[in-house]
Amino acid sequence: MIIVSQGKDELVNFDRIESIWIDVEEGRVTIEATADTNSTLGTYSTEERAKEVLQGIINAYEKAGNIAFETSEDERLMRLTHNSSVFEMPEK
């Protein structure tokens, strides 16, 4: 699975990630990933929102390989397309 960063300027191969975590510091909530280097995947307004996004990554990983089209606002966290496994980090 590939994760596209929130800024759409970085692709992270999930198979190479060592860990993903939520970092809460001075009013800033980020989702970070460690692979070869640390990467900020996205920044969110609350820890709760970051947890929702992290759950979206888990759901996408579980469904990797399946074809799914998510259309509702709540389900837009996961965007899997034909024969690919791509998770796009949502906006704040």
Side-chain angles (χ1 to χ4, degrees):
M1 181 172 83
I2 298 295
I3 299 174
V4 181
S5 69
Q6 191 177 53
K8 311 293 187 242
D9 58 356
E10 185 175 5
L11 299 176
V12 179
N13 183 336
F14 191 84
D15 293 337
R16 297 184 50 104
I17 292 176
E18 295 171 13
S19 63
I20 297 177
W21 69 95
I22 296 171
D23 185 20
V24 180
E25 186 176 317
E26 296 180 18
R28 182 176 172 191
V29 180
T30 58
I31 296 180
E32 305 281 337
T34 300
D36 295 332
T37 61
N38 284 1
S39 297
T40 298
L41 299 176
T43 302
Y44 298 94
S45 55
T46 66
E47 186 174 358
E48 182 62 32
R49 176 66 176 136
K51 287 179 180 179
E52 290 173 3
V53 174
L54 192 57
Q55 185 61 51
I57 293 170
I58 293 166
N59 293 344
Y61 182 75
E62 289 174 345
K63 290 185 176 184
N66 295 328
I67 297 173
F69 297 97
E70 308 298 341
T71 57
S72 76
E73 189 66 18
D74 291 336
E75 294 172 325
R76 71 183 171 79
L77 292 175
M78 186 183 350
R79 298 176 185 163
L80 299 176
T81 57
H82 295 286
N83 300 322
S84 68
S85 298
V86 176
F87 181 86
E88 294 184 32
M89 296 297 290
E91 297 298 319
K92 302 176 183 182

